[in-house]
Amino acid sequence: MTQQSLTLDQVTVGDALPELAVDVDVTAVVLGAMASRDWRPMHHDKDFAVERNGTRHIFVNTPHNAAYFERYITDWTGPRGRLGRIRFRMKDSVFPGDRMVFHGQVKDVAKDETGCGWVDLTLELTVGEKTTTECTARVALPVSGDDNPWQRKGDRWRP
Amino acid sequence: MSELPEEVRSWIGEKRYELEGEFDVERGYVFTTCASVENGNPLFWDEKVANDLTDGFIAPPSMISVWFRPHYWAPDRVEQAQPLQVHFDLKDRLGLPEAVMTDNTIVFREPVRPGDRLRTHQVLRSVSEEKTTKLGTGRFWVIDVEYENQRGESVGTESYTGFGYRRKA
């Protein structure tokens, strides 16, 4: 597996992250719910979801949604990218049969007082024409080939 | 407009509902989570990369709340507080039967590692005046859920903004 990672000097405000499209099926929704220990039936029992929640199918749960965003961000940064902060707002549900498309853009590139390189991102998850989740994230990137944000601790890590 | 009850006011800033996870952080859930989103980050799969960059395997940061969800069944279980118990206390004490979460922010600090046994507590940060939205009339509140490892190091904070409300008649 590759250790290839972006460095801060390779990133510019306005850069777009490569889009990621994911076709969601029932197995993925159930797998995500079980992985996050979410046993609530609307994430694995279609009858319950339809009859009790009034939705058209089971749907992706919140931690699964967060895990997709983490994957989207670190697919772009590589393993040295270290997530500092993520904020998201789920506006609509994602169902089996949906094609999710992740989009992202670089909003800010900066170094903090300790010399840590930071990139601020705005991200969006869409299904068709609809935005289902809005997200912002702050991720640390190495400032040089031998820098490693994961080695920062205590006051040298300011997410 | 009704006053905020003194009991609720006293909760603001108070450390409440300290809990320890039911089990050690383990790689089985890490693999299942990575598989569920096809996350091939070598930090979770490749021991050499993990040793080089993070001094050994870590768990995906976004899994932070996973380590506190009770399993579906356990012998002799007694009801215990949930990671967002303060949210349910507020609904109950303020007489607001409905609630939605409007915002979720997670700040990540020390990496979570297999073998860690995490602890959590909740802090109510604020409760708004009564407000009316398209959902109904109620109050917004902000709850921080703090997570730390067995060495007392912060591994992260989840901050939730909730809106508890009564539906319009």
Side-chain angles (χ1 to χ4, degrees):
Chain A
M1 291 183 192
T2 177
Q3 285 200 45
Q4 202 71 39
S5 291
L6 274 182
T7 48
L8 196 69
D9 58 319
Q10 295 173 308
V11 180
T12 306
V13 173
D15 284 356
L17 277 65
E19 281 187 5
L20 171 69
V22 178
D23 291 316
V24 178
D25 61 17
V26 169
T27 303
V29 175
V30 174
L31 194 58
M34 297 298 111
S36 53
R37 299 166 64 87
D38 187 343
W39 325 112
R40 291 176 301 164
M42 60 281 232
H43 303 303
H44 64 260
D45 180 340
K46 183 179 178 183
D47 288 345
F48 184 96
V50 170
E51 290 163 20
R52 296 281 296 278
N53 290 89
T55 53
R56 64 181 164 84
H57 210 310
I58 61 172
F59 48 94
V60 169
N61 74 342
T62 304
H64 195 194
N65 198 54
Y68 271 119
F69 274 103
E70 178 179 346
R71 178 228 158 156
Y72 180 53
I73 294 165
T74 56
D75 274 4
W76 175 67
T77 65
R80 285 174 194 255
R82 180 177 176 185
L83 204 52
R85 179 183 291 261
I86 191 165
R87 176 180 187 174
F88 57 97
R89 179 174 288 188
M90 291 174 74
K91 300 171 68 176
D92 216 326
S93 299
V94 174
F95 302 102
D98 284 348
R99 165 165 277 213
M100 302 191 297
V101 182
F102 292 84
H103 318 258
Q105 194 173 39
V106 175
K107 282 297 175 196
D108 195 23
V109 181
K111 278 190 210 176
D112 69 19
E113 292 166 358
T114 70
C116 185
W118 289 103
V119 174
D120 290 330
L121 302 170
T122 55
L123 307 155
E124 190 181 38
L125 169 57
T126 60
V127 173
E129 297 297 305
K130 200 167 51 179
T131 298
T132 62
T133 306
E134 294 171 338
C135 177
T136 59
R138 180 167 163 79
V139 59
L141 290 185
V143 295
S144 63
D146 56 1
D147 183 29
N148 177 9
W150 288 105
Q151 295 300 322
R152 291 179 167 271
K153 288 176 75 80
D155 196 41
R156 295 183 63 246
W157 177 245
R158 300 178 180 179
Chain B
M1 184 182 296
S2 60
E3 282 289 306
L4 192 63
E6 189 50 44
E7 182 188 12
V8 172
R9 199 181 297 277
S10 76
W11 295 345
I12 295 173
E14 187 187 21
K15 189 172 170 177
R16 305 183 73 214
Y17 297 115
E18 293 184 70
L19 282 177
E20 185 174 78
E22 284 182 348
F23 68 112
D24 295 349
V25 173
E26 48 107 328
R27 295 187 70 208
Y29 277 110
V30 170
F31 291 144
T32 312
T33 295
C34 288
S36 75
V37 296
E38 298 179 22
N39 184 347
N41 189 335
L43 290 181
F44 316 125
W45 300 93
D46 184 320
E47 193 160 21
K48 182 178 184 314
V49 176
N51 286 338
D52 286 351
L53 297 185
T54 51
D55 300 323
F57 284 119
I58 61 170
S62 65
M63 290 183 72
I64 195 163
S65 63
V66 169
W67 314 111
F68 292 94
R69 292 205 188 87
H71 220 304
Y72 184 67
W73 176 89
D76 306 321
R77 168 167 291 163
V78 288
E79 284 298 315
Q80 65 167 348
Q82 299 293 312
L84 266 180
Q85 187 64 46
V86 170
H87 172 79
F88 298 101
D89 291 351
L90 285 165
K91 284 179 64 184
D92 186 47
R93 184 63 186 81
L94 297 173
L96 301 171
E98 315 293 338
V100 291
M101 288 298 176
T102 62
D103 237 32
N104 180 206
T105 300
I106 317 175
V107 177
F108 304 104
R109 298 193 184 86
E110 274 299 293
V112 173
R113 297 174 185 279
D116 280 353
R117 180 68 73 93
L118 302 185
R119 298 187 60 81
T120 181
H121 64 265
Q122 302 159 53
V123 180
L124 176 63
R125 294 297 177 194
S126 62
V127 182
S128 76
E129 300 292 325
E130 278 196 358
K131 293 182 189 294
T132 298
T133 73
K134 64 182 179 184
L135 291 172
T137 298
R139 294 179 190 266
F140 286 90
W141 49 72
V142 176
I143 301 166
D144 282 353
V145 183
E146 304 278 358
Y147 300 98
E148 59 184 40
N149 62 24
Q150 64 279 11
R151 292 177 297 282
E153 299 165 322
S154 173
V155 297
T157 304
E158 275 193 288
S159 190
Y160 292 92
T161 302
F163 179 59
Y165 63 96
R166 284 176 296 278
R167 282 190 180 135
K168 287 176 183 165

